Amino acid sequence: MTNHPDNHWQRDLLGADNSVDVNQIVEGQVVRVEGEVVFVDVGAKSAGSLPRAAWGDDVPRVGQTVIVVVEQVDGDQVRLEPLLLSKRSTPKTVTWEEIVDSFSIGQIVQGTVVRRIQGGLIVDIGANAFLPETELDTEPSPELENFIGRDLECEILQIDHDRRILVLSRRQLLQQQPAAPNEALLQALAEGQVRRGIIHRITNYGAFVDLGGLTGLLLITNMSWDRIRHPSDLVSIGDEVEVVILRIDQATNQISVGLKQLSPDPWENIEDRFPIGSTATGTVYQQMTYGTFIELAPTIIGLIPNEGPSNETLPIADLDLNTQVTVEVISIDKTARKMLLKLAEGRAGE
């Protein structure tokens, strides 16, 4: 059984020359066994070694062909690990014939991502297989490390007899998903529902959540009641999250979701927590040219303006960041989420 589709992935994975680089897949031959170390000729005038334990109870044979991943390169010495062996495999050398008998092109398999290598990921499907970065998703996924440890369903794209590598595609499987389940899910969704999903893409303005066949857009403004600089400060690709369905556009099938809406708005009862005229203890949060921001509670920040009522005996500009102070609430604009303060008599604790 031979298959020869476009091998564009081989250029990134195996390279065009005979150099040996870290995280590269190479083919080699066992040249000798010394105690618990097996030496493998991987070409490029390099001698590689890997632990005898990789063969389990079997004895590696001189001349035996092995597929390995380059772990470390130190001059002409190369440390290797087996590619076709996996933690779920029988602890013995897995021959290429056994691999071919176990799998076929187009077969749907499920496996666990075990590591990132040059050009993609290694997925344990009973034997370790290569999932090129270009075949991972329908959209670019730059943070490949976040997929390590995740279970993925893939299609066997190619069985490369020359290189003795199993190649997977998750992208093709995603593209082949029928539209009917999406329609059913769309009809089942309703605004206000809480749904579980997986973060599968992050941008500067938010994140995309896989809801199980439909994608919801989680804008950065709907992630947290607190200010965050970038969506990656709060979520990572592969994270499982609960979100609230905020809006469904039936015309475009676009879904907006929220994360912060799962917790109460800290400004909802702000007048009860900090009545106008009351005093409260806070810390200096930020100094600006026009005033000083004081944090009274998480996400509750008020401003002491430079021009306005303040205590002349305690110039606010002289206070260091994180200094505790006692302030008086002057006014509250809940809609704009703004609060004006003035410095009360004395600092907190004085």
Side-chain angles (χ1 to χ4, degrees), residues 242-262:
E242 278 193 342
V243 293
V244 178
I245 306 298
L246 300 179
R247 187 174 65 86
I248 302 173
D249 189 330
Q250 297 290 346
T252 62
N253 292 344
Q254 292 182 344
I255 303 168
S256 298
V257 298
L259 191 61
K260 71 180 184 182
Q261 288 79 5
L262 290 170

Side-chain angles (χ1 to χ4, degrees), residues 169-183:
S169 174
R170 179 171 173 263
R171 178 180 62 85
Q172 290 196 14
L173 204 58
L174 293 175
Q175 290 176 336
Q176 293 169 9
Q177 289 180 347
N182 292 354
E183 287 294 330

Side-chain angles (χ1 to χ4, degrees), residues 26-46:
V26 295
E27 180 178 296
Q29 281 193 331
V30 176
V31 292
R32 72 180 190 275
V33 180
E34 293 183 2
E36 295 302 313
V37 180
V38 178
F39 293 90
V40 177
D41 178 8
V42 293
K45 298 180 180 180
S46 298

Side-chain angles (χ1 to χ4, degrees), residues 286-306:
Q286 188 177 22
Q287 294 276 15
M288 303 296 290
T289 56
Y290 52 86
T292 300
F293 287 96
I294 306 296
E295 184 177 38
L296 301 180
T299 75
I300 305 298
I301 298 174
L303 173 67
I304 300 179
N306 287 341

